[in-house]
Amino acid sequence: MAPNDRISMSNSTNHGNSKARSENGEVEEHKCESVGNDGKEPLFGTRTAKFRGMHVTSAVPKDRQDVLKWNGWGYKDSKFVVKNNIIEFTGKRYPIGQLSLPYFTQWVIDVFDVDISKSNIPQPPPKEEDYPVPKIDKAFLAAVENLRIAYSIKGIDRLIRAHGQTLHDIFVLRTGFFSRIPDMVVWPENHESVVKLVQLANQHNVVVIPFGGGTSVSGAVSCPANEPRPIISLDTSQMNHILWIDRKNLVACCEAGIIGQDLERELQRFGYTTGHEPDSYEFSSLGGWVATRASGMKKNVYGNIEDLLVHVKMVTPTGVLEKACKAPRMSCGPDFNHVILGSEGTLGVVTEAIIKIRPLPQCKKYGSIVFPNFESGVNCLREVARQRCQPASIRLMDNEQFKFGQALRPTPGYFGLLLDGLKKIYITKIKGFDVNQMCAATLLFEGEKKDVELQERKIYNIASQYGGVPAGETNGERGYMLTFVIAYIRDLGLEHDVVGESFETSVPWDRTLSLCSNVKQRVVKECKALGIKKYLISCRVTQTYDVGSCVYFYFGFKCTGLPDPLGTYEKLEERARDEILSSGGSLSHHHGVGKLRAKWFPNQVSQLGVQLYRATKEQLDPNNIFATGNLHSSHL
């Protein structure tokens, strides 16, 4: 391979010329590729990479609490707040930032009957003396210091890495304390450091829980309460190099701690993209994507993480698991990449991955379609999947989410929304759509301009056969971007006696509609039995496949007066999950199992499957150093 075909790098935010190491170790200058709109082979531009050994300047610093909330979702400067009895969204990071939201305010009042003038004040961060005294193995600590690996036993560092983003996690942070948190946080800076750390942990019987972006919604990074051994949180955030880009083979080698937005930003400086964009893309890490078998919103074009992964290293107590060959496909027995994919920190630590990349698309275009009802929309998505003409993203909201999306706007007509003025008249009067039945799909097309145009025509033609009406690019773009804002709503709810969460599944096409209906009906029935009068249960189809779909549910209720709001929610979600499984759905499409869904795991994979997993665990981690408790891993 010529030196120009592979760029060894660790990315810089500088825009001037700098240098990179070629494969033979020589220092050479390389310029970043920029993609033009003529469809020709892109030429090198002016931006460059730097030596390996320098980190990407991440959007999330080592001291996460400087930028991110310690007890909620996302950035500290971005949140829903109430000012003069009107809800606003702060900050400038998102399209609705610094805008007053009167319609959303009314939606919240109508759906949940809350008094937004009153709010619950979460507890302040604990003082250092309030944290449990860490259990420290002195010999292990001395060895870590000897290796010059950064570590901390500060309470706030330990607390931030003691949880993910489940409702349980955030509720506890606001009202109480975890029964167990890590005793120490370590920040290795490369694969070799992780190998040494894991060997030390195995030698000293210290538990290791890998920590990536902290976005888990399965309880995966929480510490088992009954674990008597010292626990370290192995934070991979400082392992965030892009080690090299191979533009001839269209792959990149990256360290596992790099987060999605950093990876995309730096790849795009060189004219490339992974195309992997999960809802948590701003904060989740590459290693986390691999460990949870993640899916992204644009998987139709770029694939899920298992499709993007070419090669991966995982450090275990008995060695490094990786393939010797980096070919695109091998017929050499079972694919051990799939032992690592979905292992959820129970077998080892993912340290490096080679993933596919693609040149930036020449054309990117949004779209949207309104359907008279959810059934029509699902049937349309199924036909689009059958004809295999899915755009990069196609997602269908049910009526409840449709109305929610319409409410989340500042002023009439500002975004050209569907229920404003002439558009409402056309949809409801001329087309005869019922506002309380209609739903909408958002679309994102990426690719060559001529291919996008052809795909648009084909999809809109299919939609028309199911009563669908094109609703414009603005609605599509807005609906797509609001995905990143929705997660912030839960924190607002907690301040006003509303608890809520999302959960997902995958299901065959012939059971998609019945599953959605069954789960909603089950939740409504259970809420009524508990005397809960104000609640919301809604769903959307977020991914489509040849044989089925991914369905995402949102559920929340007013908890004023309930003695145990968190326990009540968890009981209701558990019953919803039972209904999902009995309706033909999977345990998870992309959130993973963790501890939250571990009790259902054996029935999903069979008892023989559990035995096979445990045999793998025994081979790779015989002392159960990776005792996360996920996937029943602690029950050897």
Side-chain angles (χ1 to χ4, degrees):
M1 180 181 297
N4 278 355
D5 291 329
R6 180 174 287 184
I7 307 170
S8 298
M9 58 181 291
S10 68
N11 285 352
S12 165
T13 55
N14 296 330
H15 288 206
N17 289 337
S18 64
K19 299 178 181 179
R21 290 193 185 278
S22 65
E23 288 187 288
N24 61 13
E26 296 176 355
V27 177
E28 298 184 307
E29 289 200 355
H30 292 288
K31 298 179 180 179
C32 173
E33 285 192 349
S34 58
V35 176
N37 292 322
D38 57 3
K40 297 178 181 178
E41 179 71 20
L43 302 175
F44 275 104
T46 59
R47 299 171 186 166
T48 65
K50 282 191 174 182
F51 297 119
R52 184 194 187 285
M54 295 183 66
H55 296 300
V56 168
T57 302
S58 179
V60 178
K62 184 177 180 181
D63 293 327
R64 298 168 62 86
Q65 62 272 24
D66 291 348
V67 173
L68 304 183
K69 299 184 187 77
W70 75 276
N71 63 349
W73 174 265
Y75 295 107
K76 292 166 66 173
D77 60 8
S78 303
K79 58 183 178 179
F80 288 96
V81 298
V82 178
K83 291 185 179 180
N84 300 319
N85 288 331
I86 299 294
I87 298 173
E88 300 180 3
F89 193 82
T90 63
K92 299 180 180 179
R93 299 178 187 270
Y94 302 95
I96 65 170
Q98 298 184 312
L99 295 176
S100 180
L101 303 169
Y103 301 103
F104 180 56
T105 304
Q106 192 60 50
W107 182 87
V108 169
I109 294 171
D110 291 344
V111 173
F112 295 109
D113 189 28
V114 298
D115 183 351
I116 63 169
S117 66
K118 299 177 182 179
S119 63
N120 304 317
I121 300 175
Q123 66 182 4
K127 297 177 181 178
E128 188 62 32
E129 59 267 24
D130 296 331
Y131 292 98
V133 176
K135 299 179 181 180
I136 300 295
D137 182 294
K138 293 182 179 179
F140 175 79
L141 179 60
V144 170
E145 290 177 336
N146 187 54
L147 291 174
R148 297 182 178 274
I149 294 174
Y151 72 91
S152 173
I153 57 173
K154 286 174 55 179
I156 189 64
D157 290 333
R158 295 158 55 207
L159 178 63
I160 284 174
R161 292 158 184 84
H163 65 87
Q165 286 290 330
T166 64
L167 173 65
H168 181 276
D169 295 332
I170 305 307
F171 194 93
V172 170
L173 285 170
R174 288 170 171 254
T175 61
F177 202 82
F178 299 111
S179 57
R180 188 79 160 86
I181 67 172
D183 299 295
M184 185 168 78
V185 180
V186 292
W187 287 276
E189 294 192 355
N190 51 47
H191 169 81
E192 291 75 19
S193 295
V194 174
V195 170
K196 294 173 183 177
L197 268 172
V198 171
Q199 289 173 346
L200 281 177
N202 196 43
Q203 177 185 343
H204 294 278
N205 201 25
V206 172
V207 171
V208 178
I209 297 182
F211 185 92
T215 61
S216 166
V217 288
S218 66
V221 299
S222 61
C223 299
N226 59 351
E227 178 56 68
R229 296 174 291 179
I231 299 175
I232 65 169
S233 174
L234 193 156
D235 186 325
T236 62
S237 63
Q238 303 309 293
M239 298 166 52
N240 67 343
H241 301 85
I242 300 176
L243 298 176
W244 46 258
I245 294 174
D246 182 340
R247 60 194 184 95
K248 177 172 285 187
N249 292 314
L250 285 177
V251 291
C253 183
C254 309
E255 291 182 315
I258 192 166
I259 63 172
Q261 64 168 310
D262 293 340
L263 176 59
E264 277 300 303
R265 181 187 65 246
E266 300 303 327
L267 284 178
Q268 287 181 22
R269 287 162 50 80
F270 285 77
Y272 298 106
T273 179
T274 65
H276 189 70
E277 198 169 273
D279 292 359
S280 61
Y281 139 94
E282 297 170 283
F283 312 113
S284 56
S285 68
L286 171 60
W289 298 345
V290 173
T292 58
R293 194 181 285 270
S295 178
M297 292 188 284
K298 300 191 290 188
K299 72 90 187 166
N300 294 332
V301 168
Y302 302 99
N304 287 320
I305 193 63
E306 64 268 24
D307 306 307
L308 290 166
L309 188 66
V310 176
H311 182 265
V312 60
K313 291 182 180 180
M314 183 174 73
V315 177
T316 80
T318 54
V320 177
L321 182 61
E322 64 174 321
K323 296 187 294 187
C325 179
K326 300 174 180 62
R329 187 178 187 275
M330 297 187 296
S331 180
C332 302
D335 186 348
F336 293 118
N337 277 3
H338 288 275
V339 173
I340 299 171
L341 284 156
S343 57
E344 298 191 19
T346 64
L347 304 176
V349 186
V350 175
T351 57
E352 294 178 11
I354 298 175
I355 54 174
K356 300 173 187 176
I357 58 176
R358 297 295 304 167
L360 286 169
Q362 183 189 74
C363 179
K364 183 174 184 176
K365 191 173 182 180
Y366 295 91
S368 59
I369 305 168
V370 180
F371 293 95
N373 52 58
F374 190 63
E375 181 176 0
S376 298
V378 170
N379 289 336
C380 175
L381 264 61
R382 200 281 168 266
E383 181 61 21
V384 169
R386 190 186 69 80
Q387 296 192 29
R388 289 188 170 180
C389 59
Q390 295 108 312
S393 174
I394 179 167
R395 297 182 296 169
L396 177 72
M397 298 174 285
D398 70 0
N399 182 254
E400 289 83 1
Q401 286 197 27
F402 169 73
K403 288 189 286 189
F404 160 76
Q406 295 295 296
L408 204 58
R409 71 192 196 275
T411 54
Y414 188 87
F415 286 109
L417 293 175
L418 291 168
L419 296 185
D420 290 330
L422 294 176
K423 290 184 179 180
K424 180 177 180 180
I425 293 174
Y426 174 74
I427 292 292
T428 60
K429 301 298 183 182
I430 298 177
K431 298 298 292 184
F433 286 15
D434 182 348
V435 172
N436 294 314
Q437 291 290 323
M438 59 196 288
C439 64
T442 58
L443 310 170
L444 172 61
F445 302 90
E446 288 191 1
E448 297 292 320
K449 188 173 185 293
K450 59 180 176 56
D451 295 332
V452 166
E453 291 173 348
L454 179 63
Q455 193 175 43
E456 277 187 298
R457 288 195 298 270
K458 192 168 186 178
I459 288 177
Y460 288 128
N461 180 60
I462 293 172
S464 69
Q465 299 170 30
Y466 296 91
V469 177
E473 292 182 48
T474 302
N475 284 301
E477 181 175 8
R478 186 174 171 281
Y480 190 88
M481 299 310 297
L482 283 178
T483 298
F484 301 110
V485 176
I486 290 174
Y488 288 90
I489 294 176
R490 185 180 61 188
D491 295 343
L492 174 70
L494 288 171
E495 293 174 6
H496 294 88
D497 280 351
V498 175
V499 292
E501 184 66 281
S502 62
F503 49 92
E504 41 67 67
T505 186
S506 54
V507 59
W509 278 115
D510 66 343
R511 304 192 72 172
T512 296
L513 281 169
S514 60
L515 181 142
C516 293
S517 176
N518 292 346
V519 172
K520 288 182 179 182
Q521 290 178 31
R522 177 70 181 270
V523 169
V524 169
K525 177 183 176 181
E526 298 290 347
C527 283
K528 289 181 177 178
L530 293 171
I532 298 171
K533 297 180 180 179
K534 289 294 183 177
Y535 52 84
L536 173 73
I537 175 68
S538 66
C539 69
R540 59 179 175 175
V541 177
T542 64
Q543 303 280 27
T544 60
Y545 298 87
D546 285 352
V547 298
S549 67
C550 168
V551 178
Y552 216 111
F553 290 93
Y554 288 94
F555 171 48
F557 60 88
K558 184 181 180 181
C559 61
T560 305
L562 290 177
D564 183 10
L566 177 59
T568 301
Y569 174 84
E570 291 177 337
K571 182 186 296 182
L572 288 168
E573 183 181 324
E574 182 175 314
R575 291 173 181 173
R577 180 64 58 185
D578 286 336
E579 191 65 42
I580 285 173
L581 297 175
S582 65
S583 297
S586 69
L587 184 55
S588 176
H589 171 263
H590 60 271
H591 281 171
V593 177
K595 301 173 188 65
L596 193 63
R597 305 175 188 92
K599 76 170 193 174
W600 291 286
F601 178 69
N603 286 337
Q604 285 283 286
V605 301
S606 79
Q607 286 302 317
L608 184 59
V610 171
Q611 292 171 20
L612 182 59
Y613 162 73
R614 287 177 174 169
T616 305
K617 171 77 172 171
E618 182 65 33
Q619 175 64 40
L620 298 179
D621 183 19
N623 297 322
N624 197 25
I625 296 305
F626 290 92
T628 62
N630 304 330
L631 302 171
H632 281 251
S633 65
S634 60
H635 304 149
L636 293 174

